[in-house]
Structures are given as structure tokens and as C-alpha cells.
Amino acid sequence: MCGIVGFIGREQAAPILMEGLSRLEYRGYDSAGLAVYDREKGLQVVKAKGRLQVLRDLTDGGAKVPGTMGLGHTRWATHGAPNDENAHPQVSQSGRIAVVHNGIIENYGELKSFLEAKGVVFTSETDTEVVAQLLEFYYAGDLLDAVFKVLHRIEGAYALGIVCADEPDKLIAVRKDSPLILGYGEGFQMLASDVTAVIQYTREVCYLEDGEIAVLTRDGIRVFNHPYLQPVEKEKHHVDWEVSAAEKGGYEHFMAKEIMEQPKAFRDTVFPRIQDGRVVLDDLNLDGDYLRETDKIYIIACGSSYHVGMVAKYILEKLLRKPVEVSLASEFRYCDPLVTEKTLCIVISQSGETIDTLAALREAKRLGARILSIVNVVGSSIARESDDVLYTWAGPEIAVATTKAYSTQLAVIYLIALRFAELLGTISGE
Ligand code: GLU
């Protein structure tokens, strides 16, 4: 899952898209591209394997690409080698529809065969190209209608940005199991896979929910639900992260900066939850009766969060005298887990978007468990789908090797252990 940014406004789009992509660069990627519409030149697509600098050089930082609306993408290949053809945007056969995509279209093989049988010629190895080709297949003068039809046919995880040369005054965005945010501006609107790509231009954002379809025009954004295509009223959020908070702040590496931020992250996470010498978890709706009925705690996580889970097992078993099992999220769905409605699942994820963890959460819910998540990104999918959420207030963590997110996750585990032990009466007030 890599980066998406989209812009529709009155200023030249390409430099804004390049800037947005550079804010997403830290995630890693193997190629990058732009699709920008201009009245004279039509839909222009520039894409290249390698660093964003290659695209910058090709377009003179975007200056060579005229037009006031378009999409940008950084790709982390899942289907097809990292090369120029497979880079996004992926374009339909006529060149009139361009798509950027994060995620995986799981049934792309059968859709590709279906379209090839109708004479469509594919030019890439990507799963994404089927979305562009299928849109063209269904397009009959109404892009929203074509998008709607395509959503009925594709399966998998996706955040999609879509432009069509025949409807040059709109951008369309949809998502399922892959994050996408919308940014509201004066005379312009944006979409992105992460707020860091838009906060230089606007701090008013909303989070698109699974299955929602957004139509962005210069003057506003309309959001519709799926499958009924009814208008949805979205709640706007003001982002107060500073741009610099998402940058290196003078340190040579993000990791060095984030190590030094640990004391603050720890204070922000722990101190508001200690009042008069006691742990207070106002954000939880679990009481002593529920905990007494709970026969097991199941911790689900990936990577470093899983390591937090392994430490948590010792802390929780010691203080609560209840069995705790720790499972790698990627194994959970396949191990026929012993989870019932008497199980409390603690789900841990920095981003709140870890796809294996999200899938495991859904499985645990299906089995009747109650879900308490520990998440760093407010409003992320895991946070939204949990019964209870305890946020770690670590701020953005950019380094892949975790530091402050790990420390704050562990701090939250200690808070949970102390509070639950108090509710269960397994420790004294002292
Ligand atoms: N599955 C798509 C591809 O391989 C998108 C990958 C991504 O999320 O960057 O092109």
C-alpha cells in the first residue's frame, strides 16, 4: 500500500501533486506517476520507475504539465514488476480514463479474462489496470454510474482515485480496506491516502468510510454510500499536526527524532490517564462484571506490536490471574482460534490500518469476542471497528523501525493491567 494524492482547483495541479507525493515518500515505493487533465492537451500521463526525482526531472517539478486537476501515485508493486508500464496511473484502452490504486484487486484475473474476451488489450501486468479498463467498458456518459457498476464487480482492498477526460470537472474517490482522506479547500479540493500529503494546503479533512464514493469538484465534495448511492453527510476534522511534526525536525533520521520524542509521547499517553494517583480509563466501557465473566484475553498484532503483546502476556497474567494468548494477526484467521463471546481481544496496531490485524479483528468479532484496540492513528479502520479504543498519543511515526509507538503501546498495556486488576480486585489500592 503506497501513496495517492489528487487535486482539483484553479492552480496548476502537477506541482501540488508532486509536493503531496514527496510528503508520502517516506513510506517507500518503487515508481511514481501523474495524470493531469488540460483542456488543450487532454489527459496527460507521466510515470516512471524509480525515485520521485525521476518524475520531477521529467516534468520540471510538474511545471511542464499544464492543467488544474489530476492524480499522483507512488507505487509499491504487488502485481507485476516495478517498471514504467506497471507504474500508476493505469489508463483505459482509449486513454480517456486514468486510475491510481492502493491495495489489491483479488479477482483481477477473472475480470481480465472477461475483458480480453471482449477485445480489450492490456498493456500492464497490474491488477489495477482491470479497474481502468472495466470503467471504460461500463462508461456510457456518466462516470459515477460506471464507478458504481465497477464496485459491484471488483473484490479486494482498494483506495482509488479516478479521472475521466470526458468529465474534466470532477475527480472520483472510493475506498475499501485501504485508507483515503478528503481535504476541503477554498476553490479547490483534494484526496490523499494520508493527511501528510494535504496539510500544506488544507487542514479540514474527512475520512472516507469503506464503500463510500466521493465526487470532488472545484467547489465542493459530495459523498455517496454504497450500494444505494444515497448522499452521506461527512463530519469534518481539523488536523492540528504541524507539517514539521511529520518531518525530521533537524535530526538526521526520523528514527533518531522519534527516539528523542519518547518521553513526550509517554507523558502524553500516560499522564492524562492518571488522576489522584489512580488509573482512569474514561474512554473504556468495560466494567468489573464484564471482566469477571471474561475467561480469556487474546492479543492480536503484527510485527513490533506483536512483541508488545508478548510482554503484555506476562504483565496481564501476573496482575489479572487470567489466561492470555498472543497470536500473530496473519495466523489468526487460519488457526481456528479458541475465541468465544467470553473472550476479550486486545488488538494492537500503530497505524490502525495493518491489513492482517484488521482481518483478524473482524474474525474475532464474528466469533463474538469484544474488541479493545490500542492504536496511534485517530479514526483509522481498526479504531473505528473496535468496541473500545485506547489511543497512544505518540504523534506520527515515520521510521519503519518503531520506537515511540512501541513504548506508548507498552505503557497503555500497563495502564490496562492496573485498571483491570483494580476492577477485578486482584491487586490492592496500594
Ligand atoms: N496492486 C497494485 C499494483 O501492484 C497497487 C500497489 C500499491 O498499493 O502501490 O500495481
Side-chain angles (χ1 to χ4, degrees), residues 258-299:
E258 288 161 10
I259 287 170
M260 301 312 284
E261 285 170 350
Q262 286 182 106
K264 180 177 185 305
F266 183 88
R267 277 195 300 274
D268 291 349
T269 301
V270 173
F271 285 15
R273 292 168 170 148
I274 298 181
Q275 288 163 23
D276 302 326
R278 295 171 53 135
V279 177
V280 178
L281 301 178
D282 283 338
D283 12 20
L284 284 196
N285 289 313
L286 299 177
D287 57 17
D289 285 344
Y290 169 79
L291 289 171
R292 268 182 290 280
E293 286 292 305
T294 300
D295 59 11
K296 190 191 334 178
I297 295 175
Y298 217 121
I299 300 179

Side-chain angles (χ1 to χ4, degrees), residues 1-3 73-80 86 88 101-105 126-128:
M1 184 177 76
C2 231
H73 188 260
T74 45
R75 173 175 187 239
W76 188 305
T78 64
H79 291 60
N86 291 339
H88 300 202
H101 167 220
N102 284 350
I104 292 171
I105 306 299
T126 64
D127 50 337
T128 305

Side-chain angles (χ1 to χ4, degrees), residues 117-427:
K118 306 267 177 206
V120 175
V121 179
F122 282 75
T123 56
S124 85
E125 302 159 297
T126 64
D127 50 337
T128 305
E129 191 182 349
V130 300
V131 179
Q133 302 289 16
L134 206 55
L135 279 166
E136 182 158 291
F137 178 78
Y138 283 124
Y139 187 72
D142 182 346
L143 184 60
L144 184 58
D145 185 58
V147 169
F148 191 60
K149 291 193 168 105
V150 166
L151 291 185
H152 281 280
R153 297 218 49 188
I154 57 175
E155 288 164 18
Y158 46 82
L160 294 166
I162 300 161
V163 307
C164 173
D166 297 329
E167 298 183 37
D169 294 315
K170 67 174 73 132
L171 283 176
I172 292 191
V174 293
R175 67 153 265 178
K176 182 176 162 281
D177 296 336
S178 195
L180 205 60
I181 64 109
L182 305 172
Y184 297 83
E186 292 284 321
F188 72 90
Q189 318 298 331
M190 296 184 77
L191 63 98
S193 49
D194 191 302
V195 287
T196 48
V198 306
I199 49 179
Q200 221 192 327
Y201 304 100
T202 175
R203 289 177 172 276
E204 301 308 311
V205 305
C206 81
Y207 300 90
L208 212 55
E209 297 286 337
D210 269 359
E212 286 179 346
I213 308 171
V215 180
L216 293 76
T217 60
R218 289 180 174 79
D219 300 315
I221 302 178
R222 286 175 304 144
V223 177
F224 303 94
N225 66 11
H226 182 74
Y228 304 111
L229 219 52
Q230 293 299 308
V232 181
E233 209 45 61
K234 296 297 289 180
E235 192 188 337
K236 286 187 197 169
H237 297 266
H238 182 80
V239 180
D240 35 41
W241 281 2
E242 288 305 317
V243 178
S244 65
E247 293 177 345
K248 282 187 281 191
Y251 289 93
E252 197 175 344
H253 304 288
F254 281 114
M255 192 168 165
K257 172 173 174 268
E258 288 161 10
I259 287 170
M260 301 312 284
E261 285 170 350
Q262 286 182 106
K264 180 177 185 305
F266 183 88
R267 277 195 300 274
D268 291 349
T269 301
V270 173
F271 285 15
R273 292 168 170 148
I274 298 181
Q275 288 163 23
D276 302 326
R278 295 171 53 135
V279 177
V280 178
L281 301 178
D282 283 338
D283 12 20
L284 284 196
N285 289 313
L286 299 177
D287 57 17
D289 285 344
Y290 169 79
L291 289 171
R292 268 182 290 280
E293 286 292 305
T294 300
D295 59 11
K296 190 191 334 178
I297 295 175
Y298 217 121
I299 300 179
I300 304 170
C302 289
S304 300
S305 301
Y306 171 71
H307 287 255
V308 170
M310 294 200 301
V311 184
K313 174 179 166 70
Y314 294 134
I315 303 167
L316 294 168
E317 284 186 339
K318 181 172 173 163
L319 292 186
L320 309 184
R321 309 313 298 160
K322 281 192 188 277
V324 178
E325 210 168 317
V326 191
S327 173
L328 267 175
S330 50
E331 300 292 322
F332 185 83
R333 272 187 294 172
Y334 308 106
C335 72
D336 200 1
L338 293 172
V339 167
T340 67
E341 52 288 345
K342 288 194 169 181
T343 312
L344 172 64
C345 281
I346 300 181
V347 171
I348 312 174
S349 165
Q350 187 281 126
S351 66
E353 301 292 347
T354 318
I355 196 73
D356 283 323
T357 310
L358 185 60
L361 177 159
R362 289 176 180 161
E363 176 64 7
K365 253 181 146 170
R366 195 185 66 77
L367 294 168
R370 185 178 178 114
I371 314 290
L372 160 59
S373 64
I374 301 174
V375 167
N376 192 42
V377 178
V378 175
S380 54
S381 303
I382 290 175
R384 288 198 311 267
E385 295 191 25
S386 300
D387 298 298
D388 297 277
V389 187
L390 285 171
Y391 284 110
T392 47
W393 298 111
E397 188 177 67
I398 306 297
V400 173
T402 179
T403 54
K404 58 180 182 165
Y406 179 91
S407 335
T408 51
Q409 286 169 351
L410 201 51
V412 170
I413 288 290
Y414 274 102
L415 294 174
I416 290 174
L418 287 170
R419 178 63 186 139
F420 284 8
E422 192 187 19
L423 286 169
L424 287 167
T426 48
I427 53 166

